[in-house]
Amino acid sequence: ARALLEELNNSAPPLRVDVITEGLTAGIIAQELSCRMPDTELHVVQGQGLTGVLPQISEGRLDLAFGRVPGGGTALPASLSFLTVRFESIGIVVPDDHELAGYENVPMTVLAAHPLVMHTAEEASEWESWIDEVVDAFGLSVGWRLHGHGRGSANAAVLRYRAPSFAPIEAPTPSGIVVRRIIDPVPVGRVSVVWRSQGRTPAKLRR
């Protein structure tokens, strides 16, 4: 954490932060960062996925990005550092008249009887791989594999196919959709922040 703060303090303004898309933990963290650094100009962008924005961080066009770091960080370029900032409970979103909406907490064995909508951005292959790992580990099935951007697109797919889809517990939901927790076990996603290290000042490198 100390190394990250040193890099931020040495970066020329504005500080560019990628929050993936709307309504996720990264956006909440960015708001907190803005409150803690009131004298720093903060630009928030939505790159849709950590995998897709890693080149921008390496090249200095982004200062910070959030997401699931693949391979425990071994796949990251040597110029990048990361820090886990949260373990996030993952639930499901379903239509409010779906069978699973009747549960307060959905056991994993019950979820296994319902094919999932896998909705990911092409830029977020790390999220897709996390879903595949959970599916394989607990005998779940994927009925539809879709690519799109944003929670709005994901929620539209849930309504279109009348099927559950993974989402953070705190994910915003429109009318007609509800969030339900998964139990036995509770799936957890690791959220990390990634930044350019080695004493570089990212903002000075922007085009």
Side-chain angles (χ1 to χ4, degrees), residues 81-138:
S81 295
F82 76 98
L83 176 71
T84 298
V85 294
R86 183 174 182 180
F87 291 93
E88 186 170 58
S89 296
I90 303 298
I92 54 169
V93 288
V94 291
D96 59 10
D97 59 353
H98 191 279
E99 176 185 343
L100 295 179
Y103 288 79
E104 182 177 354
N105 300 296
V106 179
M108 192 72 78
T109 53
V110 172
L111 180 60
H114 299 267
L116 296 164
V117 172
M118 179 191 281
H119 184 283
T120 61
E122 292 184 347
E123 299 90 340
S125 60
E126 74 281 355
W127 173 236
E128 186 170 350
S129 67
W130 182 90
I131 296 174
D132 281 332
E133 289 173 11
V134 175
V135 166
D136 291 344
F138 300 106

Side-chain angles (χ1 to χ4, degrees), residues 127-198:
W127 173 236
E128 186 170 350
S129 67
W130 182 90
I131 296 174
D132 281 332
E133 289 173 11
V134 175
V135 166
D136 291 344
F138 300 106
L140 308 181
S141 62
V142 176
W144 303 267
R145 288 179 178 264
L146 309 172
H147 286 131
H149 288 162
R151 291 305 316 160
S153 177
N155 290 332
V158 167
L159 290 174
R160 167 68 177 82
Y161 296 105
R162 315 299 298 173
S165 183
F166 284 125
I169 292 297
E170 296 86 358
T173 56
S175 176
I177 286 184
V178 295
V179 180
R180 292 293 181 261
R181 294 183 181 274
I182 303 170
I183 58 172
D184 301 327
V186 176
V188 175
R190 181 193 296 261
V191 180
S192 296
V193 58
V194 179
W195 72 95
R196 184 181 175 90
S197 52
Q198 297 184 343

Side-chain angles (χ1 to χ4, degrees), residues 55-69:
Q56 297 180 50
I57 307 173
S58 295
E59 296 165 9
R61 290 182 285 131
L62 275 176
D63 294 298
L64 299 177
F66 295 88
R68 178 178 183 260
V69 174

Side-chain angles (χ1 to χ4, degrees), residues 3-57:
L4 172 57
L5 289 175
E6 289 176 356
E7 293 290 340
L8 295 183
N9 288 330
N10 290 330
S11 292
L15 186 67
R16 289 183 51 116
V17 181
D18 179 82
V19 298
I20 307 174
T21 190
E22 81 281 355
L24 300 183
T25 294
I28 299 172
I29 295 174
Q31 291 177 5
E32 181 66 20
L33 186 63
S34 179
C35 293
R36 289 176 179 269
M37 302 176 68
D39 296 329
T40 301
E41 184 181 356
L42 191 69
H43 287 185
V44 174
V45 299
Q46 296 182 1
Q48 305 301 325
L50 180 61
T51 303
V53 301
L54 285 178
Q56 297 180 50
I57 307 173

